[in-house]
Amino acid sequence: MLVSWIANTPDTIPANASHVVGAGALVIKKSTREVLVVQERSGFFKDKNVWKLPTGVINEGEDIWTGVAREVEEETGIIADFVEVLAFRQSHKAILKKKTDLFFLCVLSPRSYDITEQKSEILEAKWMPIQEYVDQQWNKKNEMFKFMANICQKKCEEVYLGFSIVPTTTSSGKESFIYCNADHANRLKAMCDQASASH
């Protein structure tokens, strides 16, 4: 972006895109208490023998909840529905040592279970018992991964409540979504449904 500020006042034009939004998917197979994990063919985790959750970057103009489901399907062939955001983290100078990385850890519910790896990015994908995922050396040695793995375990034990989506519209009428406590989201959705039914 090339900019020339003409006025004799401080330049208030924001720098070019300063943030990248990513998401990771905790896809839970409840009947077996297994989670969907992948090993990457390239990138930071190549040859590290780390099984990680499917992750990816949210595209421009894409909502977090649709982007994370798209990434799961692209990487593993699993079709899954967004349930809620469990946690998010912010890391500065993370992408190209310049951009801030916002990463959302999301829960998804699978509609299919047969895995088809995306050969260009994924070396292998499988269903893994949650305890085995949590107990990996990588998760034990790296604080942030340890925290995230603990949150995943708590969610699998159904003792952790995240943020669900509530569809809404902006003042200009554009569709938008609020992410809020799942209990509150369910109450808001019920109120909206009740209001729609009474009209």
Side-chain angles (χ1 to χ4, degrees), residues 50-69:
V50 174
W51 289 97
K52 58 185 275 301
L53 302 177
T55 60
V57 175
I58 304 302
N59 293 328
E60 184 177 343
E62 185 175 44
D63 291 303
I64 294 163
W65 69 277
T66 55
V68 71

Side-chain angles (χ1 to χ4, degrees), residues 63 166-178:
D63 291 303
V166 179
T168 185
T169 53
T170 65
S171 58
S172 64
K174 187 174 70 174
E175 183 182 51
S176 186
F177 299 91
I178 294 174

